[in-house]
Amino acid sequence: MSLDQAVSGMGGRYGTLHQQGSYRSLCCTVRVPSEKFRLFLDEAGTVGHVTYRSEYTEDVGEAYYDSEARLATQRTKLERLQKLLEEAAGLEDIILLEQALSETELQIEYLTGDLRRYDSLIGYSTVNITLGEVYRLTTGEEVVQSFPQRLAAAFGTGLRRGAEGLEELTIAVASNWVGILVLAAAGTGVWSFLRRRKRRKTPPAPPADGE
């Protein structure tokens, strides 16, 4: 199962998503229904090898009820200001009441937004996921080994590193074969030039006696 399938299967959605790197890495925020939080964690855990997992909860009950009470107060204040504005006669009073109405409406908008955010927090759980593609998976667990086991493991590590080195060398050669051919041709030309020059400078051998 892929991560996309796990998210869509649980009725969730991505909040943020970033992907980069040659060895691909992904960081994302997923929002899933709270009642499916545990099930989503189990499904997402099958996508790769889990190396770290942490959970925490945030109690928004007190803040929610506080915002709700403040919103009710601001709405009552808005109704009173609207009635006073209807009864106002002086221009100065009208200006002051309209300013107070504008500030009250702004507070109502802010508090309504807070309640929507709290509703979202209550109805959905937020999951932060970081995925990283690796060349070879290691668990990082250390096991106590005897000397023969450590020696055999060292030979195995040497062979593996040697194979990896050959792989990297082969890839490097394949990636730069044109440059290598140019350098080889240049080196061959320099070597031939120096050899011919050395032959011209070398004096002929003197004739043998009797010749």
Side-chain angles (χ1 to χ4, degrees):
M1 172 179 289
S2 67
L3 182 60
D4 289 340
Q5 291 174 332
V7 172
S8 60
M10 298 297 161
R13 63 180 185 272
Y14 287 103
T16 59
L17 181 65
H18 303 285
Q19 183 174 343
Q20 62 181 2
S22 54
Y23 279 107
R24 293 171 296 178
S25 64
L26 178 142
C27 295
C28 65
T29 299
V30 179
R31 302 278 287 159
V32 294
S34 297
E35 65 274 11
K36 296 182 179 181
F37 171 68
R38 297 287 178 186
L39 185 57
F40 174 76
L41 290 183
D42 293 337
E43 293 288 348
T46 63
V47 174
H49 181 76
V50 179
T51 58
Y52 175 77
R53 174 171 165 174
S54 177
E55 301 177 22
Y56 73 93
T57 58
E58 180 181 358
D59 186 2
V60 298
E62 184 176 351
Y64 186 93
Y65 292 125
D66 178 65
S67 296
E68 197 173 38
R70 290 168 59 194
L71 179 60
T73 300
Q74 292 296 321
R75 284 174 174 169
T76 301
K77 179 180 177 181
L78 180 65
E79 293 176 0
R80 291 176 179 174
L81 289 172
Q82 288 172 340
K83 290 181 180 179
L84 289 173
L85 182 61
E86 293 174 358
E87 299 171 358
L91 179 60
E92 184 177 352
D93 292 337
I94 292 175
I95 293 174
L96 290 174
L97 288 170
E98 286 181 345
Q99 183 178 357
L101 277 169
S102 178
E103 293 175 354
T104 304
E105 289 173 346
L106 186 61
Q107 288 297 318
I108 290 175
E109 184 178 347
Y110 284 152
L111 291 169
T112 302
D114 287 342
L115 290 178
R116 289 199 196 99
R117 184 172 64 86
Y118 291 139
D119 287 335
S120 176
L121 289 174
I122 294 171
Y124 283 81
S125 296
T126 302
V127 183
N128 297 313
I129 300 174
T130 301
L131 292 176
E133 186 180 44
V134 296
Y135 180 74
R136 179 177 288 102
L137 178 64
T138 58
T139 62
E141 299 176 354
E142 294 185 0
V143 180
V144 178
Q145 295 179 326
S146 63
F147 176 74
Q149 290 175 324
R150 292 170 58 192
L151 186 60
F155 276 113
T157 300
L159 289 174
R160 186 176 67 254
R161 290 178 178 174
E164 291 175 358
L166 288 175
E167 288 180 5
E168 294 299 328
L169 179 60
T170 303
I171 292 173
V173 171
S175 301
N176 302 279
W177 66 271
V178 174
I180 293 173
L181 286 179
V182 171
L183 289 175
T188 302
V190 171
W191 180 79
S192 299
F193 171 77
L194 292 176
R195 188 177 180 183
R196 288 195 300 269
R197 186 176 180 183
K198 183 178 179 181
R199 286 179 177 175
R200 287 196 299 268
K201 288 184 176 182
T202 302
D209 294 340
E211 293 183 2

